[in-house]
Amino acid sequence: MIQSTLILLKPDAVERGLMGEVVHRIERAGLKIIGMKMVWIDKEFAAKHYSAHIKKEFYKSLEEYITSGPVLAAVIEGVSAVAVIRKMSGDTEPKKSAPGTIRGDFAVHSYEYADKNGISIKNLIHSSGTPEEAKAEIKLWFEDRELHSYKIVHEKHTR
Ligand code: CDP
Ligand code: MG
């Protein structure tokens, strides 16, 4: 039940000054941040992170997007953290993402707009899709010594 998941605040989130907003939402939900760092990845690392998408038509633009500036990477721990963070992120296409989600509240792109302009869908956040994906992504982005074990107040109150 207690899971860990990876999030990346993509370059558009960093450039738009939305890091605090997203971190605030995660903290407010009662989830625990157990690791966090800013990283500017290169094409080689992008190919590792998005290995499932390399052969897809949109990969070139996705590569350009994710390597265009630093990202804020974090590991989030909590009850059903993978599904809860996906829910908070919202649908991949911001045009469809529900209000109240990060993508729904702060982004507007559609597939049609992105494809017409030869760019990636700018949707602010990456979050692991499944517990298996989360395990592999956390291993790729973080060393064990960068992840911390401590108690947040929500855990202290549920004894
Ligand atoms: O990020 P998420 O898991 O919601 O979606 P994905 O299907 O794993 O795709 C990864 C990322 O590629 C998306 O978040 C978009 O930024 C981008 N993408 C795109 O630009 N155009 C598509 N047709 C599909 C994905
Ligand atoms: Mg995905």
Side-chain angles (χ1 to χ4, degrees):
M1 254 193 306
I2 304 292
Q3 299 174 334
S4 296
T5 190
L6 180 91
I7 63 157
L8 304 175
L9 302 190
K10 296 175 174 178
D12 52 335
V14 175
E15 286 162 18
R16 289 179 52 195
L18 291 172
M19 288 188 287
E21 169 69 39
V22 177
V23 169
H24 183 211
R25 286 174 176 229
I26 289 165
E27 289 184 320
R28 222 169 40 177
L31 291 161
K32 176 159 52 172
I33 298 166
I34 61 167
M36 182 176 274
K37 61 184 174 184
M38 195 177 239
V39 192
W40 193 330
I41 63 168
D42 59 16
K43 290 180 179 182
E44 198 182 323
F45 195 90
K48 285 186 190 156
H49 174 71
Y50 279 129
S51 59
H53 296 318
I54 283 181
K55 297 215 162 71
K56 297 192 183 152
E57 224 170 281
F58 62 83
Y59 185 72
K60 262 282 148 230
S61 56
L62 176 58
E63 177 193 73
E64 200 172 303
Y65 171 33
I66 203 67
T67 61
S68 66
V71 302
L72 187 72
V75 178
I76 313 299
E77 186 185 276
V79 177
S80 306
V82 175
V84 170
I85 289 284
R86 286 292 277 196
K87 178 192 72 176
M88 290 170 68
S89 300
D91 193 273
T92 304
E93 185 185 27
K95 182 187 165 193
K96 269 213 301 274
S97 333
T101 64
I102 293 157
R103 288 162 168 175
D105 284 351
F106 299 108
V108 294
H109 268 188
S110 67
Y111 287 124
E112 193 189 6
Y113 175 83
D115 290 349
K116 225 178 214 159
N117 290 282
I119 58 172
S120 183
I121 291 262
K122 303 266 187 339
N123 54 9
L124 304 168
I125 185 166
H126 165 82
S127 43
S128 309
T130 63
E132 294 68 39
E133 209 175 278
K135 269 201 190 89
E137 290 179 355
I138 292 167
K139 203 162 169 233
L140 174 67
W141 283 84
F142 284 85
E143 292 181 27
D144 285 348
R145 64 181 174 81
E146 294 177 307
L147 301 175
H148 306 289
S149 186
Y150 66 100
K151 276 205 192 316
I152 53 171
V153 70
H154 305 285
E155 292 171 288
K156 288 176 183 163
H157 284 170
T158 52
R159 275 199 204 130

